[in-house]
Amino acid sequence: MTLSPSARWVLRVVMALGLTFIYVPLLLVLVNSFNGDRTFAWPPHDLTTRWWAAAWENEGARQALLTSVKAGLGATAIALVLGTMVAFAVQRFKFFGRDTVSLLIVLPIALPGIVTGIALDSAWRSVMGDLGIGKGLFSVVVGHATFCVVTVYNNVLARLRRTGVNFEEASADLGASGFQTFRYVTFPLIRSALLAGGLLAFALSFDEIIVTTFTAGPGVTTLPIWIFNNLFRPNQAPIVNVVAAVLIVLSVLPVWLAQRIAGPSAGTSRT
């Protein structure tokens, strides 16, 4: 179906308005992180980097950044390992690639974060609490991994469905074992999908706050939680803008890289 010139013009206008609605607030946060005039008058006339220096000197903000990076990397590592195992299971046992099973795996990420957080908190208290294991950074990593695994799984499954089974069947016809087929045929095909899924998972973990609130132990503060705790403290407002700007950059960058990696030719160019 070919759109008329007027319809294409309307579509461009709607798209421009949508992008403006999304990106202007983000740009305002970035600009205000350099804004020396705390009245937020526009346009700003006293741009300075001193708030960035103050944010770096803030021990709480630095520790929150380090905690977020640790939690993101830990959850992403778990997701990549489990995602690889799922890919092998899908290749060996087609049952794991069926729509019903996929729905059961993906369903938890569709639940409200507060429900997932309460469920994880109850499970941790019931199981780990009886073993004398309290909540801390590890419980945050486990909580984040619940949705990171789903992100990697979706990426891998989409790539497997797009590439088909021709290469695997040819490998089996040549006498290769299931593991050899996965190692030399399937894994090279999904490698870029795994990496892209891992980057998306890291971005999701880095941004997360609701599940973290229920899974973090005493003294565990991630960057989003630090922002929330200091958002309404007048003396912290300038630093909050800087930390929010850092959060935007460190969230957008993995998503951009994932999009570049998972391009149309990503699955075949590296094989």
Side-chain angles (χ1 to χ4, degrees):
M1 178 179 172
T2 304
L3 296 175
S4 64
S6 58
R8 287 199 295 268
W9 183 84
V10 171
L11 186 60
R12 291 191 186 101
V13 171
V14 171
M15 184 177 296
L17 290 174
L19 292 175
T20 300
F21 178 78
I22 294 171
Y23 283 101
V24 166
L26 298 177
L27 291 174
L28 287 176
V29 171
L30 292 173
V31 172
N32 282 330
S33 67
F34 296 95
N35 189 357
D37 181 7
R38 306 324 298 172
T39 62
F40 299 107
W42 193 262
H45 57 82
D46 184 24
L47 298 181
T48 176
T49 59
R50 64 186 174 125
W51 300 118
W52 286 76
W56 180 250
E57 293 171 359
N58 187 294
E59 180 68 20
R62 288 207 313 272
Q63 288 300 320
L65 173 62
L66 183 61
T67 301
S68 285
V69 171
K70 287 179 179 179
L73 291 176
T76 301
I78 294 174
L80 288 174
V81 171
L82 293 181
T84 304
M85 293 172 64
V86 167
F88 179 71
V90 170
Q91 177 227 308
R92 292 289 294 152
F93 313 103
K94 302 304 179 186
F95 171 80
F96 284 92
R98 292 178 181 174
D99 291 338
T100 303
V101 178
S102 298
L103 175 63
L104 293 175
I105 295 175
V106 173
L107 187 59
I109 202 173
L111 297 175
I114 191 169
V115 174
T116 304
I118 292 174
L120 289 170
D121 177 57
S122 300
W124 192 274
R125 291 175 183 271
S126 301
V127 180
M128 297 299 185
D130 293 341
L131 298 175
I133 302 176
K135 290 189 292 186
L137 180 60
F138 179 69
S139 58
V140 173
V141 170
V142 172
H144 287 198
T146 57
F147 50 84
C148 288
V149 170
V150 175
T151 304
V152 175
Y153 170 79
N154 279 340
N155 254 36
V156 170
L157 194 61
R159 179 58 56 84
L160 286 173
R161 287 175 173 173
R162 190 166 64 187
T163 55
V165 295
N166 294 335
F167 292 112
E168 296 174 3
E169 291 177 348
S171 177
D173 290 341
L174 292 174
S177 66
F179 179 75
Q180 288 174 325
T181 300
F182 178 78
R183 180 181 179 184
Y184 296 110
V185 178
T186 306
F187 185 75
L189 289 173
I190 66 169
R191 185 169 49 197
S192 60
L194 275 171
L195 181 55
L199 288 167
L200 290 173
F202 178 82
L204 284 173
S205 176
F206 203 85
D207 296 343
E208 218 290 318
I209 182 173
I210 300 177
V211 171
T212 310
T213 303
F214 287 93
T215 56
V220 177
T221 302
T222 60
L223 214 54
I225 290 180
W226 186 92
I227 292 175
F228 184 80
N229 291 341
N230 291 274
L231 186 59
F232 302 106
R233 296 180 181 177
N235 61 323
Q236 292 283 56
I239 299 178
V240 166
N241 283 326
V242 174
V243 175
V246 171
L247 191 61
I248 290 172
V249 173
L250 293 180
S251 302
V252 170
L253 186 59
V255 176
W256 178 81
L257 288 174
Q259 193 273 336
R260 298 287 295 177
I261 291 170
S265 60
T268 57
S269 62
R270 293 173 176 79
T271 58

